[in-house]
Amino acid sequence: MALSESAAAKITIDPAFTVGPVRRRTFGAFVEHLGRCVYTGIFEPEHPQADTDGFRTDVLELTRELGVSTVRYPGGNFVSGYRWEDGVGPVKQRPVRLDLAWHSSDPNLVGVDEFATWCAKAGVEPMMAVNLGTRGTQEALDLLEYCNIDGGTAFSDQRKANGAQDGYGIKMWCLGNEMDGPWQIGHKNALEYGRLAADTARGMRMIDPDLELVACGSSSPGMDTFGEWERVVLTETYELVDLISAHQYFEDSGDLQEHLAAGYKMESFIGDIVSHIDHVKSVKKSTKQVNISFDEWNVWHASRAESKTPSGKDWPVAPVLLEDRYTVADAVVVGDLLITLLRNTDRVHSASLAQLVNVIAPIMTEPGGRAWKQTTFHPFALTSRHAAGTVLQLAVESPLVSGGKTAEFAALSAVATFDAEAGEAVVFAANRSATDALTLDAAVAGLGNVRIIEALTYTNKDPYWQATADDSTSVLPAENVTAKADGGRLTAELPAVSWSMIRLAVES
């Protein structure tokens, strides 16, 4: 449904109406032993910009600029066949293993210790996943002991002998990955997985009761078992875990308006998961609140050739896999998905953009060569940098649009954050119309006197423009000269297929 030219969308911003805090863990990412994410991604000892540990310093710099807070590791599907012991100790003694998930070989040059070192250099919090596919409770307890016990036990002393004197203090742990999926090595039904996850969580809490544990939720809302999976798994684990995972990817199938419905679809998925969580809470008469770790999300054009897994007798190391090239429209979708995650900060306590480097990623590298930013880098970096304080509950009046398969949804997707200590409010807005501009009319009198610090919009006449290694800067977030704040109102023109950020100084 097309809008009239420059249709009006109204929002009301008042700091008295809040959703919850801005959570730094919303801005997490994901590093899996998949394709070139690790090898020639974060790690390439032969690269001219590699440091003494073999990590690419250009990628480290971009990771810090992206504003990543947590990084989930080592998978993903990879973790369901992973033996963590293969990746510790003298590198020359580490075995090369087949990775069945991605039909590749892993030389185990990067493992737990290297990842912990990389996290410290990148300034990010590690989020570790344990293998509940081919392995189980004991192996998870061994890994936890290796990582977090300071010394005096077999595995902690092994870590010390490997060069890390102090434990890593990793707090967030994923109890397996996508165990509902038939593609997963060690796939289980909900009851089998729920009981294994409960046993593992119980043992891990005997080592450290303050861990934050994530049970596997559904791999997507399209799974036949979605809902019933959450009910059964949480019935077994509710008092033992803190979060349940959500995974969802979006693809442009050729209908741009439908592609721009991604945030609307994510919001619906979150609402359904909350209902399933709270059903189990009610049945159990529990006072505990389990929340959501949206630890895989992104645009992923999974039907394209670059996402086809190798097959046959060839088991390559770090093959080119899932190396999507993103458009401006994809970046608008990513910006809208971040808006959606923030808007649900009361129940989404952690999130991970999948993935960080090369594999459906905002950062791309050339082996031995350049690192560069995809279009999706920009809304993530700006949101991570400037969203702070409290997420505000907005009153929104917006025209409706509809995609080819999706019922009518709001053309405007918006959220605002307010940092009282810094005296700054920030409006993040996506125009999800594929064809028409919106005039944003925001009532901001509740904030007091405001002035615009910065107003940026990311858009392009060709929404399918893609960044490349040779040209990653022709289309960047640019000043929105239409943005004005006057008399308790903020106005701005939001082009079709655009993402915007408007920062306001709030004067008492």
Side-chain angles (χ1 to χ4, degrees), residues 394-440:
L394 303 185
V396 179
E397 298 177 40
S398 172
L400 301 178
V401 293
S402 59
K405 298 179 181 178
T406 304
E408 291 186 331
F409 57 95
L412 176 70
S413 177
V415 74
T417 62
F418 177 55
D419 187 344
E421 185 176 341
E424 183 172 324
V426 187
V427 178
F428 301 95
N431 181 355
R432 303 192 289 203
S433 171
T435 55
D436 296 289
L438 285 173
T439 298
L440 176 67

Side-chain angles (χ1 to χ4, degrees), residues 127-411:
M127 180 182 185
M128 190 69 71
V130 299
N131 177 358
L132 294 188
T134 60
R135 311 189 89 183
T137 299
Q138 186 59 62
E139 291 85 357
L141 297 179
D142 294 346
L143 177 58
L144 176 59
E145 179 185 323
Y146 183 92
C147 288
N148 283 12
I149 298 299
D150 284 333
T153 67
F155 286 110
S156 63
D157 286 347
Q158 181 183 352
R159 184 203 66 246
K160 291 167 76 74
N162 290 336
Q165 291 302 303
D166 299 323
Y168 299 129
I170 300 171
K171 284 299 182 184
M172 294 189 74
W173 293 78
C174 300
L175 303 174
N177 173 77
E178 292 187 354
M179 299 309 299
D180 62 324
W183 59 85
Q184 203 70 209
I185 305 168
H187 161 64
K188 296 169 176 60
N189 66 39
L191 185 58
E192 291 169 335
Y193 168 73
R195 289 179 173 172
L196 175 57
D199 286 344
T200 304
R202 195 175 292 110
M204 293 177 77
R205 290 203 183 282
M206 289 178 180
I207 295 175
D208 184 349
D210 296 325
L211 295 177
E212 297 173 62
L213 302 180
V214 184
C216 286
S218 292
S219 302
S220 80
M223 297 295 291
D224 290 340
T225 53
F226 173 50
E228 181 64 5
W229 175 275
E230 279 72 12
R231 184 191 69 79
V232 174
V233 168
L234 286 173
T235 296
E236 298 298 320
T237 64
Y238 196 89
E239 299 298 335
L240 294 165
V241 302
D242 304 285
L243 304 159
I244 188 164
S245 70
H247 293 178
Q248 192 174 26
Y249 294 97
F250 302 92
E251 181 169 14
D252 186 348
S253 60
D255 182 338
L256 178 57
Q257 189 60 76
E258 181 66 23
H259 188 35
L260 293 166
Y264 172 80
K265 295 174 184 176
M266 176 188 268
E267 195 122 34
S268 176
F269 187 28
I270 291 170
D272 287 345
I273 298 168
V274 166
S275 297
H276 296 309
I277 294 171
D278 290 351
H279 166 73
V280 176
K281 178 182 179 181
S282 177
V283 169
K284 286 183 168 290
K285 300 178 175 60
S286 177
T287 59
K288 179 178 182 175
Q289 185 62 70
V290 170
N291 290 298
I292 298 169
S293 172
F294 218 119
D295 49 43
E296 286 190 34
W297 69 272
N298 204 348
V299 174
W300 175 12
H301 302 295
S303 62
R304 296 180 182 173
E306 55 265 32
S307 288
K308 302 307 178 187
T309 305
S311 60
K313 295 182 179 180
D314 186 23
W315 294 80
V317 174
V320 174
L321 277 175
L322 281 63
E323 295 197 12
D324 276 2
R325 294 296 190 264
Y326 288 123
T327 66
V328 169
D330 293 332
V332 172
V333 168
V334 165
D336 185 23
L337 295 172
L338 281 166
I339 288 169
T340 304
L341 292 169
L342 284 170
R343 204 160 47 218
N344 289 277
T345 192
D346 55 332
R347 298 307 298 269
V348 178
H349 285 204
S350 177
S352 303
L353 177 72
Q355 294 186 11
L356 181 64
V357 188
N358 290 326
V359 176
I360 50 172
I363 300 170
M364 300 298 294
T365 69
E366 298 173 329
R370 298 167 290 183
W372 51 280
K373 303 172 187 176
Q374 293 233 58
T375 59
T376 55
F377 186 100
H378 305 294
F380 191 105
L382 287 168
T383 307
S384 177
R385 186 179 310 144
H386 295 295
T390 302
V391 178
L392 303 184
Q393 180 74 54
L394 303 185
V396 179
E397 298 177 40
S398 172
L400 301 178
V401 293
S402 59
K405 298 179 181 178
T406 304
E408 291 186 331
F409 57 95

